[in-house]
Structures are given as structure tokens and as C-alpha cells.
Amino acid sequence: MRSVLLLLSLVLAATHATNRAYAQWDIEESHTTASLRGIHNVGGGVAWASGTDGTVLRTEDGGYLWQTCSIPPGAEKLDFRGVQAFDENTAIVVSSGPGDQSRLYKTTDGCQTWKLMLTNPDKDGFWDSYKLDQRGHAGILLGDPVADHFPLWQIDRDESAFQIKRFHKTPESRNGEAAFAASNSALFVEDVFFDVWIATGGVGGSRVIKRINHDFDSLGFDTFPSRLVPIGHHSESSGIFSLAFRSNPQSFAHDTAFITGVAVGGDYKKPDDATNIAAFTGNGGKTWTASTKQPHGYRSSVAYDVGQKLWITVGPNGTDISTDDGKNWRPLTPSSTDPADADKNWNALSLPFVVGPHGRIGRLRTIYQKSTAKNKP
């Protein structure tokens, strides 16, 4: 009997190992203690990060050295929840806060100097996310509901200047509905003229709103019917905090190019609650299905790793990955050479970079997925 039990325990251990993956994180020196929530990997070794106390960081060598940027004028106490960059010299940072504490600044000289582009004109407003489209040419700015509608701006860049246009017709909000500014990813923009998705939460439940038609004359914003998404618990602190879509290279129709998507969230006041955390869609966001195996706690950011062909999501209590487009998640644990908490205390992703509180910045190496045959002891 002892030999049988031993064999069974070994088999169970081997089976369990197939569900484990090991995170390979390089923790980088940021030279700041600010809480970081904005991160944008431009490519070619260039990335920008942002956070509290007007903090903006920049790297040109893949994170080996992070430069501390000058603080934009009057921004010493602002919380820069989002940053989107065009190259090593040009970037826009967005602060989140009530009324005029929500602002946009831009730099064109590698963050030596900054210019205030826009201050929130809504005294009851609060900006949540600013995202560039997949080409990196233009962006959309999203705020919490004002007068029962989500305010939106379109920001275009041409060769010489930036143009800012406010949408006249925007999605109507439900009672108690809002977006979250936790990781600058409550918004996904494929193309500012066509595909834009907005993630929400709150006491009315969570939903994803998608733009399906663009009125070039009035900057209209029409949506297909948005059903509730099974994330969160109908409370002010819960809902969808991040969503992302994976490009389908075999699709040639513009409206189906980004059909596979993942949304994550939960309740940020209950970070260890592992219920109603993630959902996925296979039809561009028209319908959403709860993940069968959920991430193991509240998650504030999600992204698709094209090279490794997997989804990764992060939060205060850990990191999870999915290799089946969000249907099932499994924990990512530190390798033996990484700090014991390398998987924890993260806010936002722009792969391969991840940022968190107290100036935490990490760079993801190749994930080692332990593979053990289930029929071998």
C-alpha cells in the first residue's frame, strides 16, 4: 500500500507540475520611489514609464539605464497614470485626478521640457486612460462619466503638430458606472477611426463598449449592444481594470482583425479574492465568457505576448499566464534565481516591461513552462 501511495503522490506531483510556469524577471533600477502605473514600450530599446509626484522615466537601452525626466511645469503633485510615446524624443503623459488635476503634457525633446496640451474642462471629470492606436499615430483619451456620458477626445499627430478634438456623441453611462485608471488600459484602440473598446465597472456591473461606426462630420460614437461581462461584484471598487486584443493575421476584414480579447479585473479592495477576475471573447467583444480557471487574485493589467504566444496578467498578489486565449490561467512563480516576490506587486504591463509601487520596474525574460508527462511517475 505504501508503494502505491508513493506512486500516486509522485504522479499527482507530476501532474501538478504541468500547471506551473516560472517567471523570469529582471528587476531593474528605476532611481525613484514613486508608484508607477504608466508604461509604454516603443520598441528598439525605447520605453517610457510614469507615476506619482509628476514622475516620468525613459530608457533608450532596453531598461539597462532609466533616465529621470524633468517634471512638467505645475505637475509636482500630479499622478501620471498613463504615458504613450511615439519615439525616444516624443511622448504624452496623462495625469488622473478630479477636475483640473487631470492633464495632458507632451515633450518633443526627450523629456527635457514639457508643454501642457490639455486640462480637463469638466470640474466633475476624472481621466482614466489615454491610448495610441496600433500604428502609433493617433490616440483616444477616456474619462469617467460626466452628465451620464463617457467623455472622449481624439488626439492626432501630424508632422508638425498635435490636434485635439472632443467627441460630440459619446457612450451613455449606466447608474454607478465608471472606468478605472489603475494601469492605463481600460481602453484599447486598434484604429481611432474604427475599432475602440472601453472597459467599465462599478455597482451596475462590468461591460465592454465597442465603437462600430465613425461619423467624420460630427465625431460620432456608435456602439453595438453591450452585455454585462462576468468580472467584479457590482461594487464601486470592482469591475474590469484592463482589456487587450490579439491581432488575427489571417483575417483581412477590418472589423474582424482583432477578434480575440481578454479582460481582467476584480475588486482592488479585495486583492486576494480570486472570483470573477477574468473573461475572454472570440467575437471582438460582442459576448464575453468567464475564464474556467481564474487568475489567483485581483488583476490590474493584461497583455498578449506575441513572441511567446501567451497572455500574461499582473496584480498585487501575483502573476498569471494563459496559453489558450484566456480560458484557463495558471500562476507564474519566480525561478530560483529571481527575488522571491518577483511575481508580486505589479500595476501595469507593456511587454516586456512591468511596473509597480515604490519604483518597481521589471523586464520579462522567456517564460519556462514546466512540462511533465502525466503518465510518468
Side-chain angles (χ1 to χ4, degrees), residues 34-40 49-52 55 79-83 96 181-185 241 268 298 300-301 346-349 355-357 360:
S35 177
L36 302 176
R37 291 186 182 272
I39 178 69
H40 185 203
S50 64
T52 54
T55 301
D79 186 358
F80 286 129
R81 297 289 183 94
V83 59
S96 297
S183 61
N184 193 43
S185 56
F241 283 73
Y268 77 88
Y298 154 71
S300 58
S301 187
W346 297 119
N347 291 328
L349 291 163
V355 294
R360 278 172 66 85

PDB file of all heavy atoms in Angstrom, residues 34-40 49-52 55 79-83 96 181-185 241 268 298 300-301 346-349 355-357 360:
ATOM      1  N   ALA A  34       8.599  56.456  -6.583  1.00  0.00           N
ATOM      2  CA  ALA A  34       7.232  56.775  -6.991  1.00  0.00           C
ATOM      3  C   ALA A  34       6.468  55.502  -7.313  1.00  0.00           C
ATOM      4  O   ALA A  34       7.044  54.492  -7.722  1.00  0.00           O
ATOM      5  CB  ALA A  34       7.253  57.691  -8.213  1.00  0.00           C
ATOM      6  N   SER A  35       5.144  55.556  -7.133  1.00  0.00           N
ATOM      7  CA  SER A  35       4.295  54.452  -7.561  1.00  0.00           C
ATOM      8  C   SER A  35       4.095  54.584  -9.066  1.00  0.00           C
ATOM      9  O   SER A  35       3.570  55.592  -9.547  1.00  0.00           O
ATOM     10  CB  SER A  35       2.944  54.505  -6.843  1.00  0.00           C
ATOM     11  OG  SER A  35       2.087  53.485  -7.311  1.00  0.00           O
ATOM     12  N   LEU A  36       4.517  53.564  -9.807  1.00  0.00           N
ATOM     13  CA  LEU A  36       4.481  53.612 -11.266  1.00  0.00           C
ATOM     14  C   LEU A  36       3.262  52.852 -11.788  1.00  0.00           C
ATOM     15  O   LEU A  36       3.029  51.709 -11.404  1.00  0.00           O
ATOM     16  CB  LEU A  36       5.761  53.014 -11.847  1.00  0.00           C
ATOM     17  CG  LEU A  36       7.071  53.669 -11.394  1.00  0.00           C
ATOM     18  CD1 LEU A  36       8.267  52.924 -11.975  1.00  0.00           C
ATOM     19  CD2 LEU A  36       7.114  55.142 -11.792  1.00  0.00           C
ATOM     20  N   ARG A  37       2.494  53.497 -12.668  1.00  0.00           N
ATOM     21  CA  ARG A  37       1.323  52.867 -13.284  1.00  0.00           C
ATOM     22  C   ARG A  37       1.326  53.012 -14.798  1.00  0.00           C
ATOM     23  O   ARG A  37       0.591  52.312 -15.481  1.00  0.00           O
ATOM     24  CB  ARG A  37       0.031  53.460 -12.724  1.00  0.00           C
ATOM     25  CG  ARG A  37      -0.220  53.101 -11.267  1.00  0.00           C
ATOM     26  CD  ARG A  37      -1.578  53.593 -10.802  1.00  0.00           C
ATOM     27  NE  ARG A  37      -1.809  53.301  -9.398  1.00  0.00           N
ATOM     28  CZ  ARG A  37      -2.330  52.167  -8.948  1.00  0.00           C
ATOM     29  NH1 ARG A  37      -2.639  51.211  -9.799  1.00  0.00           N
ATOM     30  NH2 ARG A  37      -2.520  51.979  -7.658  1.00  0.00           N
ATOM     31  N   GLY A  38       2.114  53.944 -15.317  1.00  0.00           N
ATOM     32  CA  GLY A  38       2.200  54.118 -16.760  1.00  0.00           C
ATOM     33  C   GLY A  38       3.458  53.477 -17.311  1.00  0.00           C
ATOM     34  O   GLY A  38       4.547  53.649 -16.753  1.00  0.00           O
ATOM     35  N   ILE A  39       3.317  52.720 -18.410  1.00  0.00           N
ATOM     36  CA  ILE A  39       4.467  52.098 -19.049  1.00  0.00           C
ATOM     37  C   ILE A  39       4.138  51.898 -20.527  1.00  0.00           C
ATOM     38  O   ILE A  39       3.031  51.468 -20.869  1.00  0.00           O
ATOM     39  CB  ILE A  39       4.850  50.748 -18.384  1.00  0.00           C
ATOM     40  CG1 ILE A  39       6.041  50.087 -19.104  1.00  0.00           C
ATOM     41  CG2 ILE A  39       3.667  49.809 -18.281  1.00  0.00           C
ATOM     42  CD1 ILE A  39       7.350  50.810 -18.947  1.00  0.00           C
ATOM     43  N   HIS A  40       5.071  52.253 -21.392  1.00  0.00           N
ATOM     44  CA  HIS A  40       4.873  52.067 -22.826  1.00  0.00           C
ATOM     45  C   HIS A  40       6.197  51.697 -23.475  1.00  0.00           C
ATOM     46  O   HIS A  40       7.150  52.477 -23.470  1.00  0.00           O
ATOM     47  CB  HIS A  40       4.322  53.336 -23.481  1.00  0.00           C
ATOM     48  CG  HIS A  40       3.987  53.150 -24.932  1.00  0.00           C
ATOM     49  ND1 HIS A  40       3.921  54.179 -25.824  1.00  0.00           N
ATOM     50  CD2 HIS A  40       3.693  52.023 -25.641  1.00  0.00           C
ATOM     51  CE1 HIS A  40       3.596  53.726 -27.023  1.00  0.00           C
ATOM     52  NE2 HIS A  40       3.461  52.422 -26.936  1.00  0.00           N
ATOM     53  N   ALA A  49       8.059  55.350 -18.737  1.00  0.00           N
ATOM     54  CA  ALA A  49       7.257  54.985 -17.571  1.00  0.00           C
ATOM     55  C   ALA A  49       6.835  56.256 -16.853  1.00  0.00           C
ATOM     56  O   ALA A  49       7.467  57.314 -16.991  1.00  0.00           O
ATOM     57  CB  ALA A  49       8.034  54.068 -16.634  1.00  0.00           C
ATOM     58  N   SER A  50       5.741  56.170 -16.054  1.00  0.00           N
ATOM     59  CA  SER A  50       5.262  57.353 -15.347  1.00  0.00           C
ATOM     60  C   SER A  50       4.568  56.954 -14.058  1.00  0.00           C
ATOM     61  O   SER A  50       4.165  55.799 -13.879  1.00  0.00           O
ATOM     62  CB  SER A  50       4.299  58.150 -16.237  1.00  0.00           C
ATOM     63  OG  SER A  50       3.130  57.391 -16.523  1.00  0.00           O
ATOM     64  N   GLY A  51       4.412  57.939 -13.161  1.00  0.00           N
ATOM     65  CA  GLY A  51       3.788  57.637 -11.884  1.00  0.00           C
ATOM     66  C   GLY A  51       3.498  58.868 -11.054  1.00  0.00           C
ATOM     67  O   GLY A  51       3.288  59.967 -11.575  1.00  0.00           O
ATOM     68  N   THR A  52       3.499  58.686  -9.747  1.00  0.00           N
ATOM     69  CA  THR A  52       3.123  59.749  -8.811  1.00  0.00           C
ATOM     70  C   THR A  52       4.173  60.848  -8.754  1.00  0.00           C
ATOM     71  O   THR A  52       5.314  60.679  -9.202  1.00  0.00           O
ATOM     72  CB  THR A  52       2.918  59.164  -7.403  1.00  0.00           C
ATOM     73  OG1 THR A  52       4.104  58.429  -7.025  1.00  0.00           O
ATOM     74  CG2 THR A  52       1.726  58.227  -7.368  1.00  0.00           C
ATOM     75  N   THR A  55       6.265  62.045 -11.819  1.00  0.00           N
ATOM     76  CA  THR A  55       7.408  61.230 -12.251  1.00  0.00           C
ATOM     77  C   THR A  55       7.246  60.721 -13.675  1.00  0.00           C
ATOM     78  O   THR A  55       6.213  60.152 -14.034  1.00  0.00           O
ATOM     79  CB  THR A  55       7.594  60.031 -11.302  1.00  0.00           C
ATOM     80  OG1 THR A  55       7.813  60.514  -9.975  1.00  0.00           O
ATOM     81  CG2 THR A  55       8.777  59.171 -11.741  1.00  0.00           C
ATOM     82  N   ASP A  79      -0.472  62.741 -10.503  1.00  0.00           N
ATOM     83  CA  ASP A  79      -0.294  61.291 -10.617  1.00  0.00           C
ATOM     84  C   ASP A  79      -0.427  60.912 -12.091  1.00  0.00           C
ATOM     85  O   ASP A  79      -1.529  60.842 -12.627  1.00  0.00           O
ATOM     86  CB  ASP A  79      -1.361  60.578  -9.785  1.00  0.00           C
ATOM     87  CG  ASP A  79      -1.160  59.077  -9.719  1.00  0.00           C
ATOM     88  OD1 ASP A  79      -0.216  58.561 -10.357  1.00  0.00           O
ATOM     89  OD2 ASP A  79      -1.964  58.400  -9.047  1.00  0.00           O
ATOM     90  N   PHE A  80       0.712  60.663 -12.738  1.00  0.00           N
ATOM     91  CA  PHE A  80       0.699  60.317 -14.155  1.00  0.00           C
ATOM     92  C   PHE A  80       0.403  58.819 -14.313  1.00  0.00           C
ATOM     93  O   PHE A  80       1.308  57.989 -14.308  1.00  0.00           O
ATOM     94  CB  PHE A  80       2.032  60.678 -14.809  1.00  0.00           C
ATOM     95  CG  PHE A  80       2.221  62.157 -15.016  1.00  0.00           C
ATOM     96  CD1 PHE A  80       3.374  62.793 -14.588  1.00  0.00           C
ATOM     97  CD2 PHE A  80       1.244  62.909 -15.639  1.00  0.00           C
ATOM     98  CE1 PHE A  80       3.551  64.158 -14.774  1.00  0.00           C
ATOM     99  CE2 PHE A  80       1.404  64.280 -15.823  1.00  0.00           C
ATOM    100  CZ  PHE A  80       2.562  64.907 -15.393  1.00  0.00           C
ATOM    101  N   ARG A  81      -0.882  58.507 -14.507  1.00  0.00           N
ATOM    102  CA  ARG A  81      -1.297  57.116 -14.623  1.00  0.00           C
ATOM    103  C   ARG A  81      -0.996  56.531 -16.002  1.00  0.00           C
ATOM    104  O   ARG A  81      -1.001  55.309 -16.164  1.00  0.00           O
ATOM    105  CB  ARG A  81      -2.801  57.000 -14.352  1.00  0.00           C
ATOM    106  CG  ARG A  81      -3.226  57.403 -12.937  1.00  0.00           C
ATOM    107  CD  ARG A  81      -2.785  56.386 -11.910  1.00  0.00           C
ATOM    108  NE  ARG A  81      -3.246  56.747 -10.585  1.00  0.00           N
ATOM    109  CZ  ARG A  81      -4.379  56.292 -10.036  1.00  0.00           C
ATOM    110  NH1 ARG A  81      -5.165  55.489 -10.723  1.00  0.00           N
ATOM    111  NH2 ARG A  81      -4.724  56.652  -8.821  1.00  0.00           N
ATOM    112  N   GLY A  82      -0.773  57.384 -16.996  1.00  0.00           N
ATOM    113  CA  GLY A  82      -0.547  56.860 -18.341  1.00  0.00           C
ATOM    114  C   GLY A  82       0.538  57.619 -19.076  1.00  0.00           C
ATOM    115  O   GLY A  82       0.704  58.835 -18.895  1.00  0.00           O
ATOM    116  N   VAL A  83       1.266  56.901 -19.903  1.00  0.00           N
ATOM    117  CA  VAL A  83       2.239  57.513 -20.805  1.00  0.00           C
ATOM    118  C   VAL A  83       2.179  56.762 -22.127  1.00  0.00           C
ATOM    119  O   VAL A  83       2.068  55.536 -22.156  1.00  0.00           O
ATOM    120  CB  VAL A  83       3.672  57.482 -20.217  1.00  0.00           C
ATOM    121  CG1 VAL A  83       4.134  56.046 -19.929  1.00  0.00           C
ATOM    122  CG2 VAL A  83       4.657  58.169 -21.156  1.00  0.00           C
ATOM    123  N   SER A  96      -4.207  61.580 -13.733  1.00  0.00           N
ATOM    124  CA  SER A  96      -5.565  61.244 -13.317  1.00  0.00           C
ATOM    125  C   SER A  96      -5.855  61.908 -11.988  1.00  0.00           C
ATOM    126  O   SER A  96      -5.062  61.813 -11.048  1.00  0.00           O
ATOM    127  CB  SER A  96      -5.722  59.718 -13.194  1.00  0.00           C
ATOM    128  OG  SER A  96      -5.538  59.091 -14.440  1.00  0.00           O
ATOM    129  N   ALA A 181      -8.548  53.753 -13.646  1.00  0.00           N
ATOM    130  CA  ALA A 181      -7.278  54.307 -14.112  1.00  0.00           C
ATOM    131  C   ALA A 181      -6.076  53.571 -13.542  1.00  0.00           C
ATOM    132  O   ALA A 181      -4.980  54.124 -13.475  1.00  0.00           O
ATOM    133  CB  ALA A 181      -7.204  55.790 -13.731  1.00  0.00           C
ATOM    134  N   ALA A 182      -6.257  52.329 -13.142  1.00  0.00           N
ATOM    135  CA  ALA A 182      -5.203  51.596 -12.424  1.00  0.00           C
ATOM    136  C   ALA A 182      -3.971  51.323 -13.264  1.00  0.00           C
ATOM    137  O   ALA A 182      -2.856  51.244 -12.743  1.00  0.00           O
ATOM    138  CB  ALA A 182      -5.763  50.273 -11.895  1.00  0.00           C
ATOM    139  N   SER A 183      -4.135  51.163 -14.587  1.00  0.00           N
ATOM    140  CA  SER A 183      -2.989  50.740 -15.408  1.00  0.00           C
ATOM    141  C   SER A 183      -3.009  51.342 -16.805  1.00  0.00           C
ATOM    142  O   SER A 183      -2.304  50.868 -17.686  1.00  0.00           O
ATOM    143  CB  SER A 183      -2.980  49.216 -15.524  1.00  0.00           C
ATOM    144  OG  SER A 183      -4.176  48.764 -16.168  1.00  0.00           O
ATOM    145  N   ASN A 184      -3.809  52.370 -17.003  1.00  0.00           N
ATOM    146  CA  ASN A 184      -3.931  52.997 -18.321  1.00  0.00           C
ATOM    147  C   ASN A 184      -4.373  52.001 -19.390  1.00  0.00           C
ATOM    148  O   ASN A 184      -4.007  52.114 -20.554  1.00  0.00           O
ATOM    149  CB  ASN A 184      -2.621  53.656 -18.761  1.00  0.00           C
ATOM    150  CG  ASN A 184      -2.805  54.566 -19.964  1.00  0.00           C
ATOM    151  OD1 ASN A 184      -3.754  55.329 -20.036  1.00  0.00           O
ATOM    152  ND2 ASN A 184      -1.896  54.485 -20.922  1.00  0.00           N
ATOM    153  N   SER A 185      -5.171  51.006 -19.003  1.00  0.00           N
ATOM    154  CA  SER A 185      -5.571  50.011 -20.002  1.00  0.00           C
ATOM    155  C   SER A 185      -7.043  49.631 -19.906  1.00  0.00           C
ATOM    156  O   SER A 185      -7.428  48.519 -20.251  1.00  0.00           O
ATOM    157  CB  SER A 185      -4.689  48.762 -19.884  1.00  0.00           C
ATOM    158  OG  SER A 185      -4.714  48.200 -18.592  1.00  0.00           O
ATOM    159  N   PHE A 241     -10.567  46.181 -15.104  1.00  0.00           N
ATOM    160  CA  PHE A 241      -9.489  47.151 -14.958  1.00  0.00           C
ATOM    161  C   PHE A 241      -8.589  47.204 -16.181  1.00  0.00           C
ATOM    162  O   PHE A 241      -7.831  48.154 -16.353  1.00  0.00           O
ATOM    163  CB  PHE A 241      -8.649  46.822 -13.714  1.00  0.00           C
ATOM    164  CG  PHE A 241      -9.308  47.228 -12.429  1.00  0.00           C
ATOM    165  CD1 PHE A 241     -10.391  46.513 -11.924  1.00  0.00           C
ATOM    166  CD2 PHE A 241      -8.864  48.331 -11.721  1.00  0.00           C
ATOM    167  CE1 PHE A 241     -11.007  46.889 -10.749  1.00  0.00           C
ATOM    168  CE2 PHE A 241      -9.483  48.716 -10.545  1.00  0.00           C
ATOM    169  CZ  PHE A 241     -10.561  47.985 -10.054  1.00  0.00           C
ATOM    170  N   TYR A 268     -10.286  45.737  -6.314  1.00  0.00           N
ATOM    171  CA  TYR A 268      -8.964  46.152  -5.847  1.00  0.00           C
ATOM    172  C   TYR A 268      -8.896  46.267  -4.328  1.00  0.00           C
ATOM    173  O   TYR A 268      -7.796  46.251  -3.748  1.00  0.00           O
ATOM    174  CB  TYR A 268      -8.538  47.457  -6.517  1.00  0.00           C
ATOM    175  CG  TYR A 268      -9.189  48.709  -5.985  1.00  0.00           C
ATOM    176  CD1 TYR A 268      -8.636  49.404  -4.908  1.00  0.00           C
ATOM    177  CD2 TYR A 268     -10.332  49.239  -6.577  1.00  0.00           C
ATOM    178  CE1 TYR A 268      -9.221  50.568  -4.430  1.00  0.00           C
ATOM    179  CE2 TYR A 268     -10.919  50.400  -6.111  1.00  0.00           C
ATOM    180  CZ  TYR A 268     -10.360  51.055  -5.033  1.00  0.00           C
ATOM    181  OH  TYR A 268     -10.939  52.209  -4.562  1.00  0.00           O
ATOM    182  N   TYR A 298      -7.092  39.701  -7.674  1.00  0.00           N
ATOM    183  CA  TYR A 298      -7.367  40.911  -8.465  1.00  0.00           C
ATOM    184  C   TYR A 298      -6.219  41.195  -9.415  1.00  0.00           C
ATOM    185  O   TYR A 298      -5.049  41.116  -9.044  1.00  0.00           O
ATOM    186  CB  TYR A 298      -7.580  42.082  -7.506  1.00  0.00           C
ATOM    187  CG  TYR A 298      -7.264  43.438  -8.083  1.00  0.00           C
ATOM    188  CD1 TYR A 298      -8.093  44.014  -9.046  1.00  0.00           C
ATOM    189  CD2 TYR A 298      -6.133  44.142  -7.671  1.00  0.00           C
ATOM    190  CE1 TYR A 298      -7.789  45.271  -9.579  1.00  0.00           C
ATOM    191  CE2 TYR A 298      -5.830  45.387  -8.187  1.00  0.00           C
ATOM    192  CZ  TYR A 298      -6.655  45.945  -9.150  1.00  0.00           C
ATOM    193  OH  TYR A 298      -6.354  47.185  -9.670  1.00  0.00           O
ATOM    194  N   SER A 300      -4.780  44.005 -12.435  1.00  0.00           N
ATOM    195  CA  SER A 300      -4.940  45.370 -12.929  1.00  0.00           C
ATOM    196  C   SER A 300      -4.482  45.560 -14.361  1.00  0.00           C
ATOM    197  O   SER A 300      -4.767  46.604 -14.964  1.00  0.00           O
ATOM    198  CB  SER A 300      -4.165  46.344 -12.030  1.00  0.00           C
ATOM    199  OG  SER A 300      -2.788  45.998 -11.986  1.00  0.00           O
ATOM    200  N   SER A 301      -3.798  44.573 -14.947  1.00  0.00           N
ATOM    201  CA  SER A 301      -3.300  44.747 -16.312  1.00  0.00           C
ATOM    202  C   SER A 301      -3.164  43.404 -17.001  1.00  0.00           C
ATOM    203  O   SER A 301      -2.838  42.394 -16.364  1.00  0.00           O
ATOM    204  CB  SER A 301      -1.939  45.461 -16.290  1.00  0.00           C
ATOM    205  OG  SER A 301      -1.507  45.779 -17.591  1.00  0.00           O
ATOM    206  N   TRP A 346       2.780  44.300  -8.856  1.00  0.00           N
ATOM    207  CA  TRP A 346       2.856  44.921 -10.181  1.00  0.00           C
ATOM    208  C   TRP A 346       1.545  45.620 -10.502  1.00  0.00           C
ATOM    209  O   TRP A 346       0.471  45.170 -10.107  1.00  0.00           O
ATOM    210  CB  TRP A 346       3.166  43.874 -11.247  1.00  0.00           C
ATOM    211  CG  TRP A 346       4.488  43.194 -11.085  1.00  0.00           C
ATOM    212  CD1 TRP A 346       4.713  41.862 -10.883  1.00  0.00           C
ATOM    213  CD2 TRP A 346       5.781  43.807 -11.126  1.00  0.00           C
ATOM    214  NE1 TRP A 346       6.062  41.605 -10.791  1.00  0.00           N
ATOM    215  CE2 TRP A 346       6.746  42.790 -10.940  1.00  0.00           C
ATOM    216  CE3 TRP A 346       6.231  45.122 -11.300  1.00  0.00           C
ATOM    217  CZ2 TRP A 346       8.114  43.035 -10.926  1.00  0.00           C
ATOM    218  CZ3 TRP A 346       7.595  45.369 -11.286  1.00  0.00           C
ATOM    219  CH2 TRP A 346       8.520  44.336 -11.105  1.00  0.00           C
ATOM    220  N   ASN A 347       1.640  46.736 -11.248  1.00  0.00           N
ATOM    221  CA  ASN A 347       0.459  47.513 -11.617  1.00  0.00           C
ATOM    222  C   ASN A 347       0.112  47.446 -13.094  1.00  0.00           C
ATOM    223  O   ASN A 347      -1.061  47.349 -13.445  1.00  0.00           O
ATOM    224  CB  ASN A 347       0.670  48.997 -11.252  1.00  0.00           C
ATOM    225  CG  ASN A 347       0.696  49.254  -9.769  1.00  0.00           C
ATOM    226  OD1 ASN A 347       0.028  48.565  -9.004  1.00  0.00           O
ATOM    227  ND2 ASN A 347       1.462  50.242  -9.347  1.00  0.00           N
ATOM    228  N   ALA A 348       1.110  47.548 -13.959  1.00  0.00           N
ATOM    229  CA  ALA A 348       0.823  47.730 -15.385  1.00  0.00           C
ATOM    230  C   ALA A 348       1.878  47.062 -16.248  1.00  0.00           C
ATOM    231  O   ALA A 348       3.035  46.906 -15.848  1.00  0.00           O
ATOM    232  CB  ALA A 348       0.735  49.216 -15.716  1.00  0.00           C
ATOM    233  N   LEU A 349       1.443  46.687 -17.467  1.00  0.00           N
ATOM    234  CA  LEU A 349       2.295  45.990 -18.421  1.00  0.00           C
ATOM    235  C   LEU A 349       2.390  46.736 -19.747  1.00  0.00           C
ATOM    236  O   LEU A 349       1.417  47.306 -20.223  1.00  0.00           O
ATOM    237  CB  LEU A 349       1.710  44.607 -18.747  1.00  0.00           C
ATOM    238  CG  LEU A 349       1.703  43.518 -17.693  1.00  0.00           C
ATOM    239  CD1 LEU A 349       0.731  42.420 -18.103  1.00  0.00           C
ATOM    240  CD2 LEU A 349       3.105  42.948 -17.523  1.00  0.00           C
ATOM    241  N   VAL A 355       5.545  47.477 -14.376  1.00  0.00           N
ATOM    242  CA  VAL A 355       5.876  48.470 -13.353  1.00  0.00           C
ATOM    243  C   VAL A 355       4.949  48.312 -12.159  1.00  0.00           C
ATOM    244  O   VAL A 355       3.861  47.743 -12.260  1.00  0.00           O
ATOM    245  CB  VAL A 355       5.776  49.912 -13.903  1.00  0.00           C
ATOM    246  CG1 VAL A 355       6.828  50.157 -14.970  1.00  0.00           C
ATOM    247  CG2 VAL A 355       4.369  50.203 -14.444  1.00  0.00           C
ATOM    248  N   GLY A 356       5.388  48.861 -11.026  1.00  0.00           N
ATOM    249  CA  GLY A 356       4.613  48.718  -9.802  1.00  0.00           C
ATOM    250  C   GLY A 356       4.922  49.806  -8.797  1.00  0.00           C
ATOM    251  O   GLY A 356       5.573  50.810  -9.108  1.00  0.00           O
ATOM    252  N   PRO A 357       4.475  49.627  -7.545  1.00  0.00           N
ATOM    253  CA  PRO A 357       4.700  50.631  -6.499  1.00  0.00           C
ATOM    254  C   PRO A 357       6.174  50.720  -6.112  1.00  0.00           C
ATOM    255  O   PRO A 357       6.969  49.821  -6.399  1.00  0.00           O
ATOM    256  CB  PRO A 357       3.842  50.122  -5.337  1.00  0.00           C
ATOM    257  CG  PRO A 357       3.735  48.642  -5.566  1.00  0.00           C
ATOM    258  CD  PRO A 357       3.715  48.466  -7.053  1.00  0.00           C
ATOM    259  N   ARG A 360       9.083  50.106  -8.729  1.00  0.00           N
ATOM    260  CA  ARG A 360       9.404  48.785  -9.272  1.00  0.00           C
ATOM    261  C   ARG A 360       9.264  48.745 -10.798  1.00  0.00           C
ATOM    262  O   ARG A 360       8.235  49.126 -11.352  1.00  0.00           O
ATOM    263  CB  ARG A 360       8.488  47.714  -8.663  1.00  0.00           C
ATOM    264  CG  ARG A 360       8.956  47.230  -7.307  1.00  0.00           C
ATOM    265  CD  ARG A 360       7.924  46.335  -6.663  1.00  0.00           C
ATOM    266  NE  ARG A 360       7.710  45.081  -7.365  1.00  0.00           N
ATOM    267  CZ  ARG A 360       8.440  43.978  -7.207  1.00  0.00           C
ATOM    268  NH1 ARG A 360       9.477  43.995  -6.400  1.00  0.00           N
ATOM    269  NH2 ARG A 360       8.150  42.870  -7.844  1.00  0.00           N
TER     270      ARG A 360
END
